[in-house]
Amino acid sequence: ETGVTQTPRHLVMGMTNKKSLKCEQHLGHNAMYWYKQSAKKPLELMFVYSLEERVENNSVPSRFSPECPNSSHLFLHLHTLQPEDSALYLCASSSSGGNNEQFFGPGTRLTVL
Amino acid sequence: GEDVEQSLFLSVREGDSSVINCTYTDSSSTYLYWYKQEPGAGLQLLTYIFSNMDMKQDQRLTVLLNKKDKHLSLRIADTQTGDSAIYFCAESRVRGAGNMLTFGGGTRLMVKP
């Protein structure tokens, strides 16, 4: 399998549930990103991992917890979410050289009831 | 500060040219990108331009950059119905091994037959 994959593609959860989003890249990149895309706001950068270390956290609430166990995998652990967290969550990866183009996964459509 | 702005909507007839405009504020941007997002999909990189270039052409796509005015445009020649999508411009700054992108709100292009 090639490119950036995300699972699940769709997720519906209650406010008290705990779930995790998974992202996997097969491009040999060393940086990975989580974005949130909602109807109200343009793409918002949430987290950046470079060489498996978090380098950016744009004031994201603690109910979102990222994990990057290796350069190919990125998780977003979710707990006690709010309905306003319903959005499309996009994962991306890039290398550190060249134009640093980010390759995006198809996203996970999250609905919080 | 970082701010990228685009018009929300553009409607053209099939065969016409489309021009999507974008303004940005960060003069230290290294690369500027155009991404395309089709319904239910993630973002796909269309083209990019390095900040020291004025123009880049790639088949039906022409990118113009006015660095003085911080204005970026994407021209699609001979627009087809398959070009209907949301187009995002983004500016980037490299921080460590991560490439931080700031996205505009997206322009929805509708192509009428």
Side-chain angles (χ1 to χ4, degrees):
Chain A
E1 194 164 0
T2 60
V4 182
T5 58
Q6 290 186 241
T7 55
R9 293 294 309 276
H10 300 272
L11 178 63
V12 179
M13 59 187 290
M15 293 168 61
T16 58
N17 291 156
K18 289 184 180 180
K19 296 287 184 183
S20 295
L21 309 185
K22 179 182 176 183
C23 176
E24 187 172 357
Q25 59 95 3
H26 309 271
L27 301 168
H29 290 160
N30 54 16
M32 297 187 77
Y33 311 78
W34 279 118
Y35 289 88
K36 176 183 177 183
Q37 185 182 29
S38 64
K40 294 182 180 179
K41 290 186 178 181
L43 284 158
E44 300 175 76
L45 179 64
M46 299 176 71
F47 300 103
V48 181
Y49 276 82
S50 174
L51 300 173
E52 300 148 42
E53 289 189 16
R54 191 189 304 180
V55 297
E56 187 88 4
N57 172 2
N58 285 346
S59 303
V60 179
S62 60
R63 56 186 184 270
F64 295 91
S65 174
E67 179 191 0
C68 187
N70 55 61
S71 60
S72 298
H73 294 86
L74 184 65
F75 295 89
L76 187 62
H77 304 299
L78 317 171
H79 64 97
T80 58
L81 294 192
Q82 305 298 311
E84 60 264 29
D85 296 323
S86 298
L88 181 68
Y89 289 84
L90 292 163
C91 172
S93 69
S94 73
S95 64
S96 58
N99 70 339
N100 301 103
E101 174 189 347
Q102 290 187 16
F103 290 79
F104 283 81
T108 295
R109 174 68 64 185
L110 173 67
T111 303
V112 182
L113 301 176
Chain B
E2 299 176 5
D3 197 11
V4 181
E5 295 190 355
Q6 303 176 234
S7 54
L8 287 176
F9 191 79
L10 176 65
S11 180
V12 300
R13 294 218 172 266
E14 191 174 20
D16 288 349
S17 293
S18 308
V19 179
I20 302 171
N21 295 301
C22 172
T23 57
Y24 62 97
T25 56
D26 190 347
S27 58
S28 64
S29 298
T30 51
Y31 289 95
L32 295 121
Y33 303 83
W34 284 104
Y35 281 85
K36 177 183 180 182
Q37 186 179 32
E38 297 183 1
L43 275 69
Q44 173 196 3
L45 180 69
L46 281 180
T47 186
Y48 66 92
I49 188 168
F50 189 48
S51 58
N52 68 354
M53 296 170 62
D54 297 324
M55 186 183 85
K56 181 178 180 181
Q57 187 152 1
D58 184 1
Q59 299 181 331
R60 292 191 297 123
L61 305 178
T62 303
V63 179
L64 294 177
L65 175 61
N66 182 330
K67 200 171 180 182
K68 174 177 172 290
D69 295 337
K70 298 188 183 67
H71 182 267
L72 181 73
S73 68
L74 174 69
R75 179 177 180 270
I76 306 173
D78 187 25
T79 313
Q80 303 297 307
T81 54
D83 295 323
S84 294
I86 302 176
Y87 291 81
F88 292 90
C89 69
E91 60 173 353
S92 77
R93 285 184 294 145
V94 177
R95 298 180 198 169
N99 178 25
M100 307 303 166
L101 295 185
T102 302
F103 285 86
T107 299
R108 184 177 295 276
L109 175 64
M110 178 180 289
V111 182
K112 299 178 180 178

